[in-house]
Amino acid sequence: LTLGLFGKISTHKTLRKGLGICIITACLCCLVFRTAPLSSRFFSVKCTSSVQYRINPPPQETSHLSPIPLSDNSVLVISMKHASQYENDSKLSVQYYGEKKDVLGRAVLHLTAVEISLDVDADRDGIVEHNNPDKGSWKWGPDGHGAILLVNCDSERTYLKKPDHEQTSITRVSDLKDMSVMVLRTKGPAKLPEGYKLTMHISQGDAESVRVFRTRSPGVMNNSISYTLFNAFVRDFPLVLSSEVLSQEVPYLGGEAEMNFYVEGLRFPDRDFDGLISINLSLLEPIGEALPETPIFTDKVMLRVAPWIMTPNTLQPLEVFVCSTSDNYTFLNGMRNLVAKSGYKLNICHEYMNRGDRWMQNFPYEELLGPNFGYVTRTAENEEVSSLDSFGNLEVSPPVTVNGKKYPLGRIIIGVAFPTATKGRNMTKVVQEFLFAQKVQEPVALFSDWLLVGHVDEFMTFVPASDRKCYLCLLCACPDAGYKLFRGLQNDGHGQAKMFDDEEQITVDEILNDEILQSHNNYVQSCIDWNRDVLKRELGLDDDDIIDMPILFKLVEEMGSESRAVAYYPDMVNMIVLGKNLGIPKPFGPKVNGRCALEAEMCSLLEGLGLRCTFIDDFASYHKLLGEVHCGSNVRRQPFDFKWWNLEM
């Protein structure tokens, strides 16, 4: 009697006729009695040198020559020392004996051993190591593990303004650098036994967030390619997995081989996506013509999509963006001088690009989208959008430590309605959920609905301060500081000094005698004080870490709504921070001995920190339109040195 021995990994399977395939590092577990002749009482095992086996439960007789008692739970656990060079080049046999140890029959298993490993850079060192034991899981922290995946939201093609992840194929070699390398390593005979195949697969949920491409042949592609080879290049990197293709057979190359796959992130973490992606590779076994194939081995890797990370004012600037409009020449000239003095690059977005939108807090993505420069959008559904959804209402602190908990990437700061308000404006839910889902810069919500525009950058900002414990200083608008300054001017005999250089001129005395304006600023101060306490608590700040800026506000009535606050004169806290150089809205305050008293006060407060103040005239082109320097500019900064995956969660 000659039978084949066949099995599944980590499961018991009947001895039966056929051939066997074994995965290196895995075992075949077989119930020996299932194919034994009816009168069998004993059995023995022999194998070739590349085969290893053990018997459970272990027999009492230690000699391998002695027949072993056969029971209903006798299990043969088979493994291989190394991959096969040829199909069926190893074998194992089981011989059965009767009561008197007479030979009743023999079962023979012809084995083919294959090494299969789906690998990623699980230890985050830039090298895709072979079969890392942690490749199938993900852990935060400096001692953590797990591969990292980027969202491919830039555009390698400058002539077609469309993010790469919206393209149907890989169009540039450089695009591969935005993807994570995944390597299929195999070792074994020239081909798999007939009917067996390798299949890569992914869940429907994960497929909405990732795509996988592969090289058509093993080896490294040339790092340069001409446009004339575009079609050939696309064919060299066929799509393997996507939201429409959840499973696909992948080549088994034979011998000892590697094949590169490229994993592309399609979306950032969000309310319905934790950022984790699992990709599986299975070896499928043919069962029969009318039966589905069965996986006998599955390998899994896990990757986490990199979060969307904001950069605070304290990071090194790289490039400044401003808009050019028909009426902002004075502002633009001031910005040009500041950026040149600071030694950075100025990128001017002209009118044909900005379409009349001067608020550079909203990038004109059709012009700026390009290699290594991408964007992400969120669309509110069935929800009213307000000015709180503009991105002067989205800021981030420098790194802080709060009650022993470190935030090495800082904390995002947003403005919303007051917590107890039954009505009011809020940043849309879809944006808030997106920000909280990033995890690495846990947001802090401030009360900003008291402002007409409603942005947090109207009453706070951060500047570098090497002499402070947090290496930062919070600048906070403070009407009380403004009134203190004006009263000091009045007491010093400068009550008739005038603010502004236009028809709206007003004296210090008139400002101090305006009881309505005073009541407005009392209300504003109470709102800012509430936010100040939140910032101290959530960022771990002391009063010494905060500098009060002398800024007054006034309440204006919005059509069909309650009164809200706007800056009474250019809001000096709404500044641009370029290293040690500050671009501050020129306040046009009362002059004493030919110098603006507000400018002098700002210099006194900030130059002690080693900061240099430059005042930029944005009065007509921005302030009167309810914005200032920060609203009309944007800065691309050097990313953090800290690796986000090293955060302790």
Side-chain angles (χ1 to χ4, degrees), residues 19 278 287 466 515 548 599 609:
L19 303 174
S278 292
I287 300 299
S466 58
E515 294 182 359
D548 293 324
E599 290 185 17
L609 300 175

Side-chain angles (χ1 to χ4, degrees), residues 200-210 241-247 273 276-280:
M200 188 170 289
H201 51 102
I202 194 171
S203 70
Q204 179 70 65
D206 285 354
E208 301 295 330
S209 306
V210 72
L241 299 178
S242 68
S243 58
E244 288 78 34
V245 183
L246 303 182
S247 176
F273 173 48
L276 290 175
I277 297 288
S278 292
I279 300 173
N280 307 281

Side-chain angles (χ1 to χ4, degrees), residues 135 165 236 293 325 336 600 636:
K135 67 184 181 181
H165 66 74
D236 282 332
E293 298 151 326
T325 64
R336 186 180 286 111
R636 185 169 66 90

Side-chain angles (χ1 to χ4, degrees), residues 322-325 332 336 347-356:
V322 294
C323 280
S324 172
T325 64
L332 196 60
R336 186 180 286 111
N347 190 323
I348 298 176
C349 182
H350 296 283
E351 286 188 86
Y352 75 90
M353 301 180 192
N354 62 49
R355 296 166 294 174

Side-chain angles (χ1 to χ4, degrees), residues 125 171 230 272 361 426 432 532 607:
D125 64 352
T171 58
F230 169 77
D272 58 346
Q361 285 294 308
N426 266 305
Q432 291 195 53
R532 180 188 175 114
E607 288 180 352

Side-chain angles (χ1 to χ4, degrees), residues 41-219:
R41 295 293 181 270
F42 299 91
F43 71 97
S44 63
V45 182
K46 291 183 179 180
C47 62
T48 54
S49 60
S50 61
V51 182
Q52 297 175 314
Y53 72 90
R54 68 178 187 273
I55 299 169
N56 288 331
Q60 293 181 351
E61 176 60 56
T62 57
S63 173
H64 70 281
L65 299 176
S66 301
I68 301 163
L70 178 66
S71 67
D72 290 350
N73 63 346
S74 294
V75 177
L76 192 60
V77 182
I78 306 167
S79 61
M80 301 286 284
K81 295 179 181 178
H82 53 75
S84 297
Q85 287 187 315
Y86 309 101
E87 187 177 342
N88 302 326
D89 64 358
S90 300
K91 67 179 180 178
L92 176 146
S93 65
V94 179
Q95 189 153 284
Y96 295 97
Y97 306 88
E99 186 69 38
K100 296 181 179 180
K101 298 186 179 180
D102 49 323
V103 176
L104 300 179
R106 187 162 60 107
V108 178
L109 173 62
H110 294 274
L111 289 164
T112 303
V114 180
E115 286 188 25
I116 300 174
S117 180
L118 186 63
D119 295 320
V120 290
D121 181 16
D123 59 4
R124 307 164 183 164
D125 64 352
I127 300 172
V128 179
E129 60 276 3
H130 181 247
N131 208 25
N132 187 308
D134 295 321
K135 67 184 181 181
S137 60
W138 213 95
K139 180 184 176 182
W140 293 92
D143 298 322
H145 59 261
I148 293 160
L149 178 62
L150 295 177
V151 176
N152 193 15
C153 59
D154 68 346
S155 177
E156 301 302 318
R157 296 191 289 181
T158 56
Y159 61 89
L160 180 61
K161 292 300 184 178
K162 191 176 183 180
D164 288 332
H165 66 74
E166 295 181 10
Q167 309 287 348
T168 57
S169 59
I170 296 175
T171 58
R172 292 285 186 276
V173 170
S174 57
D175 201 19
L176 299 177
K177 296 179 181 179
D178 296 331
M179 304 182 191
S180 292
V181 178
M182 181 171 64
V183 180
L184 170 59
R185 293 183 168 102
T186 55
K187 186 177 181 181
K191 62 184 182 66
L192 293 173
E194 184 178 356
Y196 287 83
K197 64 182 181 181
L198 290 174
T199 299
M200 188 170 289
H201 51 102
I202 194 171
S203 70
Q204 179 70 65
D206 285 354
E208 301 295 330
S209 306
V210 72
R211 290 192 299 190
V212 178
F213 299 86
R214 72 169 174 88
T215 52
R216 189 169 292 280
S217 58

Side-chain angles (χ1 to χ4, degrees), residues 397-408 410-411 442 444 469-470 472 533-541:
S397 79
V400 292
T401 301
V402 186
N403 296 325
K405 182 177 181 179
K406 294 181 179 180
Y407 296 90
R411 299 188 67 177
E442 184 182 347
V444 176
K469 67 174 184 179
C470 299
L472 66 89
D533 289 341
V534 172
L535 289 167
K536 287 170 63 177
R537 180 176 67 251
E538 298 296 334
L539 300 183
L541 303 179

